[in-house]
């Protein structure tokens, strides 16, 4: 059984930092495109960052560029999202996901999803 388990969410003040983790079992992250998505209250889920397994290229949506950093530790089969300079508009449930072709992270193409972790940024 494949499981993706997020952790690290919580309440933080604007300007602060959090590091999210996504631990995988049942799959090897190195074989998948892996990424982070988020869904804010009343909004659609959006992809915010991704690592392609084909070429290692990372992607960030414009709203988080320069503030968030995606990484992975293949020895631990764990992915991370370092979030700095957090803003109230970053408040959302954050999900990790994996896609088997390895090329990229598209919401309707991900094969596996975690259950999410809530990040709340206070002003």
């Amino acid at each position: 059984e494949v499981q993706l388990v997020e952790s690290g969410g919580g309440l933080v003040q604007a300007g602060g930092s959090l590091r999210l983790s996504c631990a995988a079992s049942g799959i090897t992250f190195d074989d998948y495109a892996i990424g982070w998505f988020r869904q804010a209250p009343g909004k659609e889920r959006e992809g915010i960052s991704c690592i392609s397994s084909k070429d290692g290229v990372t992607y960030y949506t414009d709203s988080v560029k320069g503030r968030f950093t995606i990484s992975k530790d293949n020895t631990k089969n764990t992915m991370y999202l370092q979030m700095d300079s957090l803003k109230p508009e970053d408040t959302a449930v954050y999900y990790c996901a994996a896609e088997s072709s390895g090329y990229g992270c598209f919401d309707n193409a991900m094969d596996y999803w975690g259950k999410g972790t809530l990040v709340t940024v206070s002003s």
Side-chain angles (χ1 to χ4, degrees), residues 63-109:
S63 61
V64 307
K65 280 181 183 176
R67 301 188 299 122
F68 290 11
T69 305
I70 191 171
S71 62
K72 64 176 180 175
D73 184 336
N74 289 334
T75 64
K76 297 181 178 179
N77 214 27
T78 299
M79 173 175 62
Y80 305 97
L81 186 68
Q82 177 67 40
M83 305 188 296
D84 299 318
S85 303
L86 282 161
K87 304 175 181 180
E89 52 263 43
D90 294 317
T91 295
V93 177
Y94 284 70
Y95 301 89
C96 65
E99 187 276 332
S100 59
S101 82
Y103 284 105
C105 304
F106 302 97
D107 194 294
N108 61 356

Side-chain angles (χ1 to χ4, degrees), residues 12-25:
V12 64
Q13 287 189 330
S17 298
L18 283 175
R19 188 176 81 154
L20 305 184
S21 299
C22 173
S25 59

Side-chain angles (χ1 to χ4, degrees), residues 1-7 20-23 35-39 45 92-98 112-119:
E1 179 187 7
V2 176
Q3 283 193 318
L4 303 181
V5 180
E6 303 95 338
S7 61
L20 305 184
S21 299
C22 173
W36 291 94
F37 296 74
R38 69 184 179 187
Q39 187 166 22
R45 188 167 58 198
V93 177
Y94 284 70
Y95 301 89
C96 65
Y112 303 106
W113 292 87
K115 293 183 178 180
T117 185
L118 177 63
V119 172

